[in-house]
Amino acid sequence: MIGRIRRAPSVGDQLGDLRRTLETYVRQQLVEPLQGAGRRLAFGLVGGLLVGLGGILLTLALLRALQTETGEALDGNWSFVPYLVTLLVVSIASGGTLSLVRRKDDRS
């Protein structure tokens, strides 16, 4: 036999190939990266919530320590001082965190 004549693919075959190619492309370029981004977002949200909860608990621990360990020195008219000190510490910590975030953004 000298050679076979290849038949031209039909329009239906070509459309089927195009559909399969498009499905593969969309899956590789859109779906898989979005699934990975969703996982990273979920871990980030959980981490942020845990850090926030830890910050709240540390703030309450500082307040209770100041209220109980200072004895009678901060009773009566001076009972506002533990709240003021706690507010000051939280403000300094928040300001430091924001300055670190801004410094990192400036480098990017």
Side-chain angles (χ1 to χ4, degrees), residues 9-89:
S10 69
V11 174
D13 291 340
Q14 289 178 345
L15 288 176
D17 287 343
L18 177 64
R19 189 179 126 259
R20 281 189 295 278
T21 303
L22 283 175
E23 284 176 356
T24 304
Y25 177 79
V26 167
R27 188 175 303 116
Q28 288 176 349
Q29 299 299 322
L30 291 175
V31 175
E32 292 172 4
L34 287 177
Q35 287 174 344
R39 268 187 236 111
R40 286 191 299 273
L41 181 65
F43 280 122
L45 287 174
V46 169
L49 288 173
L50 291 175
V51 167
L53 181 62
I56 290 170
L57 292 175
L58 283 173
T59 302
L60 286 174
L62 174 64
L63 177 62
R64 294 300 173 217
L66 287 172
Q67 288 176 334
T68 58
E69 299 300 323
T70 55
E72 294 181 15
L74 297 178
D75 283 347
N77 290 337
W78 290 96
S79 64
F80 69 93
V81 173
Y83 295 98
L84 189 62
V85 170
T86 302
L87 179 64
L88 183 66
V89 168

Side-chain angles (χ1 to χ4, degrees), residues 98-108:
L98 286 175
S99 70
L100 287 174
V101 169
R102 287 189 182 137
R103 186 181 317 157
K104 185 177 179 182
D105 284 344
D106 290 342
R107 282 190 243 159
S108 297

